[in-house]
């Protein structure tokens, strides 16, 4: 539960302009400072700070990077959106907000006025941010502005229901470098009685009426995540959601809206957003009858109820939003920057991902000390930096039928515990990682036999198994304590650098019989809060440990879990050709710096497709490289190829993982080709990967026109793998590479090439 300090409106105190406030306890002093400051400067928005309030017009304005965001308090007391888009001139001002007239005798103004945050009440028909049922049956909630405070990059606004003591504390935090806003809300109950929250969203984002909006979002399923969808928006509602208890493979909590299809990656207006929540979530994107657009996101209202007791508060998830004038490519580059500098546990400077080996696809559950040590030696010989032992090392885990929940080494497979293997891995110059799936239990386990009541279930009903496992109810304090305890012990007893934290099924029968019936549905919130708190506490106690979020591939990837995890597993599908579209979709919402990409065996188990080792490497090298092949089957040539490519990858990984990504050719819609380019932040290095599906009619590979280089600088061309057409210059200007381009000589099926450009000086 969040505790919230109340703030008072400086406006009430009669100060013309408020810029900086403190909590109301030292209000007198703050008021004085604010009035003097603003008395001495012009009455305009031409202040240096990112967040300003004009008391006369009652307008808030947030400026950062290339973005301005403006909203006001209208005559009714609603928070009304006024502008979100390209940065405006400092002197540009807006007239005071006035609620829109309703429409005919069918819509009150609440349905035509764009609200920053709106309760269900007063005749609202669109998705509310907050819906409450009070104990007396009353369900009307109308929230009005009460007060605000501005503290550097953060604006806090207090809203209150028109008659009841229900408070909502909104927060807007702006990221200076990217202009991305983090919006969140806390609901506080001061009514003296409990009430039931039935819908709770963090924020609503508004765009003005237009008929040429295009919506992008991500869809998928297990083994086929990150499908990028794009469609024209029409009046009506598109709901992106998960009802599964976790983020889900089916939709990811990200959206982007373009106005006017520029048909180009790097031009045009794009608004985008992402929700930081790893439980059931919803983003409702509505084009209203007036063609205005509103996007509301937060907890999924399906099967949801939260009893907020008197005096309690409920923190709602962070909902991030940004604007780019540089097209969808620019939008994803802003999000990448933001994730690296403001979200990840090691932000603002996350370490690059080490090259990893994982034996899952090679050995399955068949792990033991000797077998893992033999693989570790082979992995070390090609330059791997982290050796990860996957599933199968613990309890009675010989298949997926048993063992989950029993987190101690299997005594037959590891008679002396994990130490001998970990020591061996260290002696080979690698660090050691381990697979865990802490939230799950097999009925065939010691844990389940002792605590059958610990799983999600409705008494007297079937407990549906998926992959022979049940979900532990992490909302329960005893389950939380058990999971934290076993992981803390594992990390204390062993020198483990990395956990691959898996989560291999979704919820069914999500009952919580141990609590009162009206509190059972709180499981959707309390489970996820406890998951975050375990991750947070583990990281605090073991600061060197890094964590990967995996859920049967990309089932739990979002900006909530990424605050506590350093990388994610985008998909169990490691077929390199499929991976091109998986990686393409993934990078619209998440940085390649967290996108693990393994080289595995050919033919792929997914599609039975055969590809060369080089092709597989050049696909995986576009993300954070890992190797998941059975090294016991590799030839000396394979080892030589891998060693050379791993060494080359280390030369470009900073650029790939933390640089700017440009999509030169999309792999979607049956494309014969695809190509990406990454440019280092200082523009000293670029690396491009070009993939050919199948040559047809002897057409040449499309010429690649690089992007994002320093036009006047000179760059040296170097082929990492494959061939460029004869006559490709050794050095040329950024302008040359961007406008004359590079002709590769790629022919055949499933071929790949990669090259770098290194700055050698200015022209
Ligand atoms: C999930 C993961 C795989 C592997 C298996 C182990 O499917 O996504 O990478 O770890 O579990 O059971």
């Amino acid at each position: 539960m969040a505790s919230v300090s109340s703030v008072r409106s400086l406006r009430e105190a009669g100060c013309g302009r408020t810029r900086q406030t403190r909590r109301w306890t030292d209000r007198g002093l703050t008021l004085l400072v604010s009035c003097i400051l603003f008395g001495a400067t012009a009455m305009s928005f031409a202040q240096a700070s990112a967040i300003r309030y004009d008391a006369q017009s009652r307008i808030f304005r947030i400026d950062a990077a290339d973005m301005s965001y403006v909203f006001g308090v209208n005559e009714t007391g609603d928070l009304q959106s006024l502008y979100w888009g390209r940065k405006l001139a400092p002197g540009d001002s807006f007239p005071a907000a006035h609620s829109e007239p309703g429409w005919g005798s069918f819509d009150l103004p609440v349905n035509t006025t764009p609200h920053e945050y709106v309760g269900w009440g007063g005749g609202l028909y669109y998705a509310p941010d907050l819906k409450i049922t009070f104990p007396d049956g009353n369900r009307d909630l109308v929230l009005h502005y009460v007060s605000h405070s501005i503290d550097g990059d953060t604006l806090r606004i207090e809203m209150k229901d028109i008659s009841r003591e229900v408070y909502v504390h909104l927060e807007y935090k702006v990221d200076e470098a990217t202009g991305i806003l983090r919006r969140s809300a806390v609901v506080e109950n001061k009514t003296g009685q409990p009430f039931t929250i039935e819908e709770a969203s963090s924020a609503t984002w508004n765009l003005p009426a237009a008929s040429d909006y295009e919506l992008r979002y991500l869809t998928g399923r297990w083994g086929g995540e990150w499908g990028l969808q794009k469609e024209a928006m029409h009046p009506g509602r598109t709901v992106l959601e998960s009802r599964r208890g976790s983020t889900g493979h089916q939709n990811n909590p990200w959206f982007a809206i373009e106005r006017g299809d520029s048909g180009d990656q790097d031009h045009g207006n794009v608004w985008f957003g992402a929700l930081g929540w790893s439980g059931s979530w919803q983003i409702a994107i509505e084009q209203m009858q007036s063609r205005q657009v509103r996007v509301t996101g937060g907890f999924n209202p399906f099967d949801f109820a939260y009893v907020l007791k008197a005096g309690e508060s409920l923190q709602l998830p962070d909902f991030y939003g940004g604007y780019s004038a540089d097209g969808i490519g620019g939008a994803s580059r802003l999000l990448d920057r933001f994730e690296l500098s403001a979200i990840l546990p090691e932000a603002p400077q996350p370490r690059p991902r080490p090259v990893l080996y994982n034996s899952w696809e090679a050995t399955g559950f068949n792990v033991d000390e000797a077998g893992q040590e033999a693989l570790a030696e082979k992995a070390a010989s090609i330059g791997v930096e982290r050796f990860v032992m996957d599933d199968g090392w613990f309890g009675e885990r010989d298949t997926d039928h048993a063992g989950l929940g029993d987190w101690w080494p299997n005594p037959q497979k590891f008679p002396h515990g994990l130490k001998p293997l970990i020591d061996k891995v260290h002696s080979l110059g690698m660090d050691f990682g381990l697979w865990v799936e802490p939230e799950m239990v097999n009925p065939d386990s010691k844990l389940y036999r002792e605590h059958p009541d610990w799983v999600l279930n409705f008494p007297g009903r079937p407990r549906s198994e998926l992959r022979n496992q049940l979900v532990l109810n992490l909302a329960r304090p005893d389950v939380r304590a058990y999971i934290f305890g076993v992981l803390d012990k594992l990390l204390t007893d062993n020198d483990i650098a990395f956990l691959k934290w898996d989560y291999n099924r979704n919820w069914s029968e999500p009952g919580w019989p141990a609590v009162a019936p009206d509190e059972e549905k709180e499981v959707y919130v309390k489970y996820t809060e406890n998951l975050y708190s375990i991750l947070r506490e583990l990281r605090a106690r073991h600061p060197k440990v890094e964590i990967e979020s995996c859920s049967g591939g990309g089932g739990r990837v979002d900006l909530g879990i990424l605050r506590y995890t350093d990388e994610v597993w985008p998909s169990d599908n490691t077929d390199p050709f499929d991976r091109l579209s998986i990686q393409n979709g993934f990078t619209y919402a998440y940085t390649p710096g967290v996108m693990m990409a393994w080289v595995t065996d050919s033919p792929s188990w997914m599609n039975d497709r055969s590809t060369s080792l080089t092709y597989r490497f050049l696909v995986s090298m576009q993300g954070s490289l890992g190797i998941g092949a059975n090294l016991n089957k590799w030839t000396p040539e394979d080892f030589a190829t891998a060693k050379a490519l791993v060494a080359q990858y280390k030369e470009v990984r900073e650029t790939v993982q933390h640089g700017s990504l440009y999509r030169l050719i999309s792999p979607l819609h049956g494309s014969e080709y695809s190509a990406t380019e990454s440019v280092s932040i200082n523009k000293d290095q670029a690396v491009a990967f070009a993939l050919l599906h199948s040559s047809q009619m002897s057409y040449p590979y499309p010429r690649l026109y690089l992007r994002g280089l320093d036009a006047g600088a000179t760059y040296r061309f170097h082929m990492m793998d494959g061939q460029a057409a004869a006559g490709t210059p050794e050095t040329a200007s950024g302008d040359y590479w961007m406008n004359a381009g590079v002709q590769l000589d790629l022919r055949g099926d499933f071929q790949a090439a990669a090259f770098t450009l290194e700055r050698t000086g200015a022209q």
Side-chain angles (χ1 to χ4, degrees):
M1 292 296 155
S3 79
V4 178
S5 318
S6 189
V7 290
R8 291 261 170 91
S9 169
L10 296 179
R11 188 178 52 78
E12 286 165 11
C15 176
R17 298 254 159 173
T18 58
R19 203 195 86 173
Q20 187 88 32
T21 67
R22 297 261 160 81
R23 296 222 160 88
W24 63 276
T25 42
D26 59 350
R27 180 169 165 244
L29 171 69
T30 307
L31 281 174
L32 184 65
V33 171
S34 298
C35 290
I36 291 168
L37 257 175
F38 284 85
T41 54
M43 297 285 283
S44 78
F45 282 118
Q47 306 292 327
S49 77
I51 305 179
R52 278 155 289 149
Y53 176 67
D54 183 287
Q56 220 159 26
S57 57
R58 303 179 81 189
I59 286 179
F60 296 95
R61 174 166 165 175
I62 305 175
D63 294 290
D66 296 325
M67 181 279 333
S68 294
Y69 189 93
V70 186
F71 62 98
V73 183
N74 67 19
E75 71 280 16
T76 318
D78 306 319
L79 286 183
Q80 183 172 339
S81 314
L82 293 173
Y83 177 81
W84 183 25
R86 191 189 276 265
K87 194 178 210 165
L88 302 171
D92 288 340
S93 61
F94 284 78
H98 283 293
S99 66
E100 305 280 340
W103 191 245
S105 60
F106 287 87
D107 285 284
L108 286 150
V110 70
N111 293 305
T112 49
T113 303
H115 288 258
E116 290 284 298
Y117 198 91
V118 62
W120 185 76
L124 180 75
Y125 302 126
Y126 296 102
D129 289 289
L130 190 62
K131 181 174 187 304
I132 290 176
T133 293
F134 295 98
D136 59 2
N138 198 315
R139 306 189 304 284
D140 190 57
L141 181 73
V142 176
L143 296 166
H144 283 167
Y145 166 88
V146 177
S147 65
H148 74 271
S149 68
I150 298 171
D151 185 4
D153 61 1
T154 305
L155 165 64
R156 295 188 183 86
I157 298 180
E158 187 178 61
M159 300 182 87
K160 183 187 164 300
D161 178 58
I162 49 175
S163 71
R164 298 186 180 227
E165 296 290 303
V166 178
Y167 289 82
V168 179
H169 305 274
L170 304 183
E171 192 171 290
Y172 296 73
K173 184 174 160 60
V174 65
D175 182 56
E176 281 289 340
T178 59
I180 291 178
L181 278 173
R182 186 195 77 192
R183 294 184 55 189
S184 61
V186 174
V187 185
E188 190 184 12
N189 180 358
K190 290 188 181 174
T191 64
Q193 284 188 297
F195 57 66
T196 303
I197 300 176
E198 290 164 348
E199 298 197 28
S201 280
S202 312
T204 292
W205 305 93
N206 292 284
L207 293 174
S211 50
D212 58 350
Y213 286 123
E214 304 256 348
L215 173 68
R216 291 188 196 243
Y217 57 98
L218 293 160
T219 59
R221 59 173 180 162
W222 173 79
E225 303 89 330
W226 309 107
L228 183 67
Q229 310 299 335
K230 183 177 177 183
E231 59 197 38
M233 288 183 72
H234 301 290
R237 179 174 158 125
T238 301
V239 175
L240 310 178
E241 67 170 347
S242 162
R243 301 180 175 198
R244 295 163 178 263
S246 64
T247 322
H249 301 78
Q250 293 67 22
N251 279 159
N252 191 267
W254 168 89
F255 71 91
I257 296 172
E258 291 168 75
R259 192 175 59 214
D261 183 0
S262 69
D264 185 287
Q265 273 276 317
D266 298 323
H267 295 98
N269 293 291
V270 176
W271 295 263
F272 56 95
L275 190 66
W277 185 244
S278 314
S280 289
W281 59 272
Q282 178 181 283
I283 297 178
I285 299 146
E286 294 175 289
Q287 185 157 40
M288 299 153 76
Q289 52 193 342
S290 58
R291 294 192 171 141
Q292 289 159 262
V293 169
R294 61 199 304 284
V295 183
T296 303
F299 298 145
N300 195 322
F302 178 79
D303 194 38
F304 177 80
Y306 195 102
V307 180
L308 198 64
K309 302 200 179 74
E312 283 188 350
S313 298
L314 177 65
Q315 171 76 57
L316 307 181
D318 294 332
F319 197 4
Y320 304 87
Y323 163 80
S324 169
D326 299 322
I328 190 72
S332 71
R333 287 187 289 277
L334 281 181
L335 253 181
D336 289 355
R337 287 268 67 69
F338 180 69
E339 288 159 5
L340 292 165
S341 64
I343 294 283
L344 291 177
E346 290 184 1
Q349 271 165 334
R351 282 172 286 178
R353 302 291 78 222
V355 177
L356 165 158
Y357 179 76
N358 179 303
S359 66
W360 170 248
E361 289 199 21
T363 60
F365 298 98
N366 195 13
V367 297
D368 62 20
E369 194 177 299
Q372 292 291 298
E373 289 188 6
L375 283 167
E377 278 175 10
K378 291 176 178 142
S381 77
I382 53 171
V384 166
E385 296 156 315
R386 170 169 291 167
F387 183 84
V388 183
M389 177 159 67
D390 210 277
D391 200 349
W393 60 270
F394 52 91
E396 297 300 314
R397 186 76 166 167
D398 292 325
T399 67
D400 61 17
H401 284 77
L404 285 176
D406 300 342
W407 298 108
W408 49 85
N410 178 292
Q412 282 79 47
K413 299 176 183 180
F414 297 94
H416 312 290
L418 298 178
K419 189 164 189 315
L421 173 61
I422 295 177
D423 286 348
K424 172 77 177 182
V425 166
H426 288 165
S427 75
L428 291 164
M430 301 181 289
D431 68 25
F432 179 78
L434 193 64
W435 181 93
V436 289
E437 193 179 1
E439 299 151 81
M440 299 290 168
V441 66
N442 288 117
D444 186 1
S445 67
K446 186 166 177 291
L447 183 69
Y448 186 77
R449 282 186 282 276
E450 285 174 7
H451 299 286
D453 53 326
W454 277 11
V455 299
L456 292 174
N457 75 96
F458 289 121
R461 309 289 301 174
R463 301 175 174 201
S464 303
E465 293 175 23
L466 277 162
R467 210 190 187 211
N468 314 301
Q469 64 198 55
L470 296 166
V471 184
L472 289 168
N473 182 357
L474 192 48
R476 291 174 59 118
D478 46 7
V479 173
R480 188 215 175 275
Y482 174 79
I483 292 178
F484 176 79
V486 285
L487 293 173
D488 185 43
K489 182 165 164 29
L490 204 56
L491 296 175
T492 305
D493 294 350
N494 300 285
D495 192 352
I496 292 171
F498 170 80
L499 289 179
K500 174 176 172 182
W501 185 302
D502 215 333
Y503 181 84
N504 273 317
R505 62 159 292 181
N506 292 137
W507 295 9
S508 55
E509 302 97 19
W512 183 4
V515 297
D518 64 344
E519 290 174 16
E520 280 205 41
K521 294 175 182 170
E522 292 173 19
V523 68
Y524 289 102
V525 174
K526 290 185 168 162
Y527 182 109
T528 309
E529 282 177 348
N530 278 349
L531 169 67
Y532 290 157
S533 80
I534 291 177
L535 288 164
R536 196 162 45 230
E537 214 175 309
L538 282 176
R539 292 197 77 107
R541 282 175 60 89
H542 307 279
K544 292 204 185 108
V545 176
E546 295 186 341
I547 303 175
E548 174 178 290
S549 175
C550 174
S551 172
R556 195 157 61 188
V557 182
D558 58 79
L559 294 189
I561 203 88
L562 277 171
R563 290 174 301 163
Y564 307 108
T565 56
D566 306 86
E567 60 185 55
V568 298
W569 182 227
S571 180
D572 279 348
N573 182 351
T574 53
D575 176 293
F577 181 63
D578 282 2
R579 272 277 170 158
L580 292 174
S581 48
I582 286 172
Q583 293 179 176
N584 177 70
F586 182 97
T587 56
Y588 275 80
Y590 303 101
T591 162
V594 301
M595 182 178 76
M596 297 309 294
W598 297 355
V599 172
T600 55
D601 287 321
S602 176
S604 81
W605 61 267
M606 191 80 187
N607 295 315
D608 211 18
R609 177 179 290 117
S610 295
T611 50
S612 71
L613 188 56
T614 300
Y615 180 88
R616 282 173 271 150
F617 259 98
L618 294 189
V619 171
S620 294
M621 284 162 67
Q622 296 172 59
S624 297
L625 178 65
I627 291 138
N630 189 348
L631 302 181
N632 296 324
K633 291 194 185 152
W634 274 18
T635 64
E637 292 74 42
D638 291 337
F639 279 102
T641 302
K643 190 173 178 178
L645 288 169
V646 167
Q648 300 223 49
Y649 178 71
K650 289 177 182 170
E651 297 293 316
V652 298
R653 79 167 136 194
E654 179 67 35
T655 298
V656 170
Q657 294 185 19
H658 298 161
S660 302
L661 175 67
Y662 294 86
R663 300 177 188 86
L664 302 184
I665 308 176
S666 163
L668 301 184
H669 313 301
S671 170
E672 289 167 46
Y673 327 97
S674 74
T676 66
E677 178 202 2
S678 302
V679 182
S680 63
I681 295 302
N682 61 11
K683 303 192 178 193
D684 281 358
Q685 184 186 60
V687 52
F689 297 92
L691 291 301
L692 169 64
H693 178 184
S694 269
S695 290
Q696 289 184 27
M697 321 291 176
S698 200
Y699 285 116
Y701 196 81
R703 215 173 166 84
L704 295 182
Y705 300 97
L706 283 300
R707 297 189 200 166
L709 302 176
D710 192 343
T714 304
Y715 290 89
R716 180 177 301 282
F717 178 84
H718 167 70
M719 212 61 217
M720 287 169 79
D721 210 289
Q723 273 202 308
T728 305
E730 265 179 35
T731 59
S733 66
D735 259 336
Y736 176 93
W737 301 115
M738 291 193 287
N739 296 300
V742 174
Q743 182 63 56
L744 294 174
D745 193 6
L746 267 178
R747 300 159 73 81
D749 299 327
F750 299 112
Q751 298 298 310
F755 61 85
T756 58
L757 293 167
E758 304 275 354
R759 188 200 290 262
T760 60
Q763 278 206 325

